[in-house]
Structures are given as structure tokens and as C-alpha cells.
Amino acid sequence: MRVIDGMHRLLAAKLRGQEMIEVELFDGTSEEAFLRAVEVNVSHGLPLSLADRRAAANRIIASHPQMSDRAIARAAGLGAKAVAAIRRRTADVVPQLRARIGRDGKSRPLNSVDGRLRAAELIAERPQASLREVARFAGISPATVSDVRKRLESGLAPVVEPARAPETPADAPAATADTGDRRVEPGKSQLQADPSAALEKLLRDPSLRHKEGGRQLLRLLQQQNAVVTRAGEDLMEAVPSHCGTLVLDLARYYAGTWMDFAKQLDERVRMENRRGAGE
């Protein structure tokens, strides 16, 4: 009978002299109760701090190692990359599994090679089978099955070969860079492992929050962060086959628009740095 959500509501009821309060009973282990408490407190009430969310993700990884990075990220209110970084740091004490369960409840292998090979065998044996049917037996997503089928139809191997980095001649000159006093180094990502942390920093910046243009930019960035956090195979599965080309074109168009914005901003940062170095 431990309260996992609603401590303040319970205290308010006691202060009002109530003897009864309506509750929702949760039957589960202490680990499951903690996961539920984190999920509900991320979505409402007093927001958890970044340190609290990181600590919660660390504990969830230890108690639910079978959950995917994106599933834990959604529960703890972090980015999937931040959860992946925490998981890497705890690799010595947390069991490493061959498959993880995503937010949709489906189990997917960490190494898709085996799943792709199984899918290729099933496609050869049952060419009329649907993508979802093959995906269910192979343990991969329908989008991955579709890619395997297209590769087989093109005469390619079902497994994508990793790209090899071009070899650099021994006598090639080393790359050089301007080592002037830069406040921000253009072209180098400042996000590290967690874009949500960078977004939080921007959200606290009054120079952005107190201007209409700045607030519009923050809203756009928040929307993009939500897409990145929730992106993955579950979004691809939501796209009907007859809409695939149109969604693909829109994704490429919007990505190109952000790239143009990034190039213009990169050029502005370089000019400001050059002016700052000359002062």
C-alpha cells in the first residue's frame, strides 16, 4: 500500500480532514512500481530535473535491461542517445541481452543480421507472405523486411555491408584547421550524447525566451526533439505503403530546409568568431 503517484494529493486530503480518497491500485513488483512512478511524474506535476531523470534511467536500465533505449527514454523524459550513453557506462554491471523490447511491446534483436538472414529465408520459402508476417517470425520490423525484399529483388545480399572508410595515402598532408580563439567552433557538434540537455539550456536563456522570434525557434526545436525522441521503427510502421513516397519526400524537404538553416547559421558563427578574434 505504498503511494507511487499522488503524494501531494494525499497530503491535501489529509489536511482537509478527509478519511477516504479515491485511488487506483497497482499490482506489481517494486521495480515495476518505480517505472510507473517515473512515467507518470514525467508527464505531469512538478517536472523532474535532468539529474533526476538520468538517475531514473540508470535505475530502470538496471531493473529492466530488456527495455529498448527509446522505451526507457520515453519513460524517463530523456533522449534515446542519452539513455544509450548511460547503458554503455553500466555495461559491466547490467546484463547484456541479445534482444530488447520496444515501446510497442515487440521484441527486436540488437543485431539485425540474424533477423535479416531469417527474413531472407522466409521470403524465399513464402514469397507471398506479408511484411508483418515475415517480421513477426524473423523478429525484425516490417520496414526492415521491406528493405531485405528490395535488396533480394535487386540481386543484393540481405545484410547491408558496413561502409569502409577511404584509405589515406601515407604521404598525404595532414588536415589543418584555424586555431584562433573561437567562442564556438563551427561544424563541431556541441550536443555530446544528449540533445535534450542542450535544449533545456536554450529554454532557460532569457535572450531567446523574451523575443517572439526566439520563442518560435524554441517551439520548433521542442517539436523536433519530440520527433527525435519518438522516432524509430514505430513511426515507420505507422506510414501506410501508399503514403510512403509522399512522407519520404516531405522528410527530405524538411531535412533540407534545416540543413540550409544550419549552413547559414554556421557561416554567421564563423564571421562572428573572426570579428571576435580581431578585437
Side-chain angles (χ1 to χ4, degrees):
M1 302 299 294
R2 181 161 50 91
V3 178
I4 61 175
D5 180 45
M7 293 282 191
H8 295 95
R9 280 168 283 170
L10 178 61
L11 179 59
K14 288 182 177 179
L15 292 175
R16 288 197 299 266
Q18 290 181 225
E19 296 183 357
M20 302 284 290
I21 187 172
E22 184 178 352
V23 300
E24 177 184 349
L25 296 178
F26 177 82
D27 185 14
T29 65
S30 58
E31 291 80 8
E32 292 168 344
F34 177 78
L35 175 60
R36 176 68 177 274
V38 172
E39 289 175 336
V40 295
N41 281 282
V42 163
S43 60
H44 70 76
L46 184 65
L48 299 177
S49 68
L50 180 59
D52 289 336
R53 284 179 279 140
R54 287 182 180 275
N58 201 336
R59 183 169 168 180
I60 294 172
I61 290 172
S63 62
H64 295 74
Q66 75 279 9
M67 288 180 63
S68 69
D69 292 342
R70 292 190 183 280
I72 296 176
R74 184 175 186 179
L78 291 171
K81 291 183 178 179
V83 175
I86 296 173
R87 194 190 294 270
R88 285 193 298 270
R89 290 196 294 268
T90 60
D92 295 337
V93 295
V94 176
Q96 302 301 304
L97 308 178
R98 298 184 62 181
R100 291 180 189 159
I101 300 175
R103 291 177 299 171
D104 55 3
K106 297 179 181 178
S107 177
R108 293 184 176 88
L110 294 180
N111 186 352
S112 64
V113 172
D114 294 339
R116 282 177 171 269
L117 294 176
R118 285 197 300 270
E121 295 175 357
L122 290 168
I123 291 172
E125 295 172 0
R126 303 167 60 184
Q128 302 303 321
S130 67
L131 295 179
R132 291 189 178 278
E133 187 177 359
V134 176
R136 185 168 60 253
F137 284 102
I140 57 179
S141 70
T144 305
V145 176
S146 176
D147 181 67
V148 171
R149 178 172 286 173
K150 290 177 181 178
R151 291 181 64 83
L152 294 175
E153 291 173 352
S154 302
L156 301 174
V159 179
V160 181
E161 295 293 336
R164 296 181 59 185
E167 296 182 359
T168 304
D171 56 349
T176 58
D178 181 8
T179 58
D181 182 17
R182 295 180 182 273
R183 290 171 292 173
V184 177
E185 185 176 348
K188 182 177 180 180
S189 175
Q190 307 292 315
L191 300 182
Q192 298 179 351
D194 186 7
S196 299
L199 179 57
E200 280 197 7
K201 183 178 180 180
L202 291 177
L203 290 171
R204 294 193 300 266
D205 193 322
S207 60
L208 284 170
R209 291 164 47 201
H210 294 167
K211 293 189 298 185
E212 179 58 30
R215 290 193 293 270
Q216 291 178 357
L217 176 61
L218 290 176
R219 284 194 290 268
L220 279 173
L221 292 174
Q222 284 180 299
Q223 293 170 0
Q224 292 295 311
N225 188 62
V227 170
V228 171
T229 303
R230 295 180 174 86
E233 294 177 346
D234 53 344
L235 281 184
M236 287 192 288
E237 290 180 19
V239 180
S241 57
H242 65 278
C243 298
T245 302
L246 185 57
V247 174
L248 174 63
D249 290 341
L250 282 171
R252 285 174 171 167
Y253 173 79
Y254 292 134
T257 302
W258 275 106
M259 282 301 300
D260 290 340
F261 173 77
K263 290 177 182 177
Q264 295 176 28
L265 187 58
D266 180 72
E267 181 61 28
R268 196 187 81 176
V269 170
R270 291 179 185 276
M271 293 178 63
E272 291 176 349
N273 287 338
R274 282 197 293 267
R275 287 198 296 267
E279 292 176 354

